[in-house]
Amino acid sequence: MAYKPYRVQKQKVNNGNMGKKLSGEDGGRVRLFGFRSGVSWKMMIAIFYYGLMLLIYVPSIVNEIIHYEFTAADVVLTISKYLFIGIFLFSPAIFLSDFKYVDSLPFFKKRNFGSCLCGLILVFMFCYFMWNVDIMVMSSQYKESVIKYEKYLIQEQEKNRAGTQSKKMETQSSKPPVSETAQPAETMQ
């Protein structure tokens, strides 16, 4: 059975509802950006995008919680920072989907390419600015833990590089040396 999206129909006027949508008129329509039209290639791109954003977003939160030290104020700032990062990453789903709140947003209610693009650019700039403000006002304890963890990562990378270089040298030294005077067996006849 193929996926058939709900087609928008003209509103029916009922004496009891006077211009309001009839109950069940929505018909279970998918409203999320990338899934509205039901076109398979658009849905595949949307699945890839949303999955990739989750793969970026969740591990970064977990990594920060595990490796950094926080004060009470840093916890609030970190929550604020990841709220803005989440809005930044998932803004197509938040602002371009067919939900009722989108009709009240200034740049997104027109539903044309130019105004939505301007709105997304403004959202991106604002979220980027706010998450960097959150980072700038973090405590010195947090900033020191970030520097300490970065130094730890650099040391681990250097150890891995040294380990791979020593393995390459071991494999090269374990090979028997090739003599310059050695000739292939066919030419010795």
Side-chain angles (χ1 to χ4, degrees), residues 154-171:
I154 290 170
Q155 290 173 352
E156 288 297 315
Q157 288 175 349
E158 289 173 357
K159 285 180 187 177
N160 289 338
R161 285 185 195 145
T164 55
Q165 287 177 356
S166 66
K167 286 180 183 177
K168 285 181 183 177
M169 295 185 109
E170 287 175 8
T171 56

Side-chain angles (χ1 to χ4, degrees), residues 77-91:
L77 290 170
T78 302
I79 291 170
S80 172
K81 176 179 74 170
Y82 278 106
L83 176 71
F84 287 114
I85 290 173
I87 292 170
F88 181 87
L89 294 176
F90 294 103
S91 59

